[in-house]
Amino acid sequence: MSDELLSPGRTLGVIGAGVMGTALLKGMLDHGLLSRRQAWGTAKTEGTCEEVVQKLGITTARDYDELIADSGILLIAVKPGQAAKVAEKLKASGLRKDTLLISVLAGVSTDRLESFLSTENAVIRAMPNTPSLVGHGVTVYCAGRWAKQEHLEATRKIFSSVGKALEVEEHYFNAITALSGSGPAYMYLVMESLADAGVRVGLPRDLAMELVAQTMLGSARMVQETGRHPAALRDDVTTPAGCTIGGLLMLEDGKIRSVLARAVEEATRIVEQLGKGKS
Ligand SMILES: NC(=O)c1ccc[n+]([C@@H]2O[C@H](COP(=O)([O-])OP(=O)(O)OC[C@H]3O[C@@H](n4cnc5c(N)ncnc54)[C@H](OP(=O)(O)O)[C@@H]3O)[C@@H](O)[C@H]2O)c1
């Protein structure tokens, strides 16, 4: 693999062009990482295949056996329970030794995917989150046994096209799934609650929601762009005996820190169980 994502004549296929698979294809196409001719996707139903053709203008096929041999990168984005079936199909369809496999399957370790494949293909495990759909996701990724630096670099390029991409050690994956994978849901709940609170004190709902969404976005950017600790930024907006310190006291009374910590702890526990095949 050179500086280009793909070697000449090779393609990138997305096995499972659903919500996440399509978001990644769109990001790569929008950022010029590949041309429409180099990309293809597959899904279980004709309806999804047609939707992808309309949305992205790439080749799709329910039966993709013939597309495997030319693929340089295969992105696996089916549901986790389909991993073994997909691995079998890839092997039976002439998967080349130098094809990189990138999996976004929640809870499926690189070890497990490699054992399903029983080949020496480079495998990368990644965990994106849904804001990837609007180009503001965060993805973590790690290398399997046979993956080299060039494969990690290709992965970084792919996930950077839909947000931030960070290489991490695989043992962090469960905690990260609970924090940034599930994280958008926590943020939506906070946003919904704050918008309700705005309505409670007399604001129209649309206005309250717009204020909350922009405040969340702006606060996140303040943390990222100033590099300052959230506690220091919070201190900046709390004047003595003011309204903000009063509001913060109520949040502390409601044990907001411990509630959030318990939420992430519980989600981590559940991900661990899912990874062991229990539900
Ligand atoms: N969505 C997220 O926020 C998120 C975040 C991180 C990781 N993930 C991971 O991403 C994966 C996909 O999630 P998703 O939300 O994108 O699900 P999804 O929208 O249901 O996409 C799965 C796709 O796989 C296709 N498919 C099913 N069986 C197949 C097979 N045997 N061969 C080829 N394609 C097949 C489905 O086709 P049809 O549409 O025709 O049924 C569907 O398009 C999951 O493993 C999940 O753990 C998702």
Side-chain angles (χ1 to χ4, degrees), residues 14-22 24 42-49 51-52 61-62 64 76-82 85-86 89 103-108 126-133 177 181 184:
V14 173
I15 317 281
V19 174
M20 193 46 76
T22 308
L24 290 166
T42 176
K44 205 160 83 181
T45 60
E46 203 49 54
T48 303
C49 286
E51 262 177 49
V52 175
R62 281 178 61 206
Y64 54 96
I76 306 176
V78 293
K79 293 291 187 194
Q82 298 281 309
K85 194 172 157 192
V86 167
K89 187 168 171 73
S103 155
V104 297
L105 312 191
V108 180
M127 173 51 59
N129 66 2
T130 44
S132 302
L133 272 68
T177 304

Side-chain angles (χ1 to χ4, degrees), residues 174-175 178 263-276:
N174 287 341
V264 174
E265 201 174 73
E266 175 65 358
T268 306
R269 191 190 63 76
I270 295 170
V271 179
E272 278 164 6
Q273 295 303 309
L274 292 175
K276 291 176 195 157

Side-chain angles (χ1 to χ4, degrees), residues 30-225:
D30 287 353
H31 282 75
L33 289 186
L34 15 123
S35 68
R36 286 191 156 66
R37 283 212 324 244
Q38 291 173 304
W40 57 270
T42 176
K44 205 160 83 181
T45 60
E46 203 49 54
T48 303
C49 286
E50 275 168 23
E51 262 177 49
V52 175
V53 172
Q54 280 187 2
K55 206 165 156 188
L56 301 176
I58 61 166
T59 299
T60 59
R62 281 178 61 206
D63 194 358
Y64 54 96
D65 302 38
E66 287 180 2
L67 296 168
I68 298 298
D70 285 338
S71 59
I73 300 177
L74 287 172
L75 234 151
I76 306 176
V78 293
K79 293 291 187 194
Q82 298 281 309
K85 194 172 157 192
V86 167
E88 278 309 314
K89 187 168 171 73
L90 297 182
K91 277 192 293 179
S93 311
L95 175 69
R96 288 207 213 169
K97 282 184 192 156
D98 64 349
T99 297
L100 164 63
L101 294 158
I102 303 175
S103 155
V104 297
L105 312 191
V108 180
S109 67
T110 52
D111 264 1
R112 218 157 129 216
L113 200 55
E114 283 164 351
S115 74
F116 288 147
L117 283 165
S118 61
T119 64
E120 292 185 7
N121 284 79
V123 167
I124 301 256
R125 177 182 178 189
M127 173 51 59
N129 66 2
T130 44
S132 302
L133 272 68
V134 291
H136 291 280
V138 62
T139 304
V140 296
Y141 59 92
C142 68
R145 192 166 163 203
W146 310 105
K148 301 197 176 86
Q149 196 50 44
E150 69 205 59
H151 303 120
L152 286 165
E153 182 51 22
T155 307
R156 188 194 61 73
K157 281 186 193 158
I158 291 172
F159 289 101
S160 295
S161 75
V162 290
K164 275 196 180 213
L166 309 166
E167 186 187 346
V168 300
E169 290 173 31
E170 189 162 12
H171 64 89
Y172 288 134
F173 260 68
N174 287 341
I176 291 171
T177 304
L179 188 64
S180 61
S182 305
Y186 310 150
M187 301 301 174
Y188 300 142
L189 182 64
V190 170
M191 287 170 69
E192 184 194 346
S193 310
L194 283 174
D196 274 351
V199 173
R200 170 88 179 102
V201 293
L203 296 176
R205 183 164 293 280
D206 288 358
L207 176 60
M209 192 57 87
E210 196 172 349
L211 292 170
V212 167
Q214 186 60 25
T215 301
M216 188 166 256
L217 193 67
S219 308
R221 294 209 71 140
M222 283 290 282
V223 172
Q224 284 185 329
E225 288 179 23

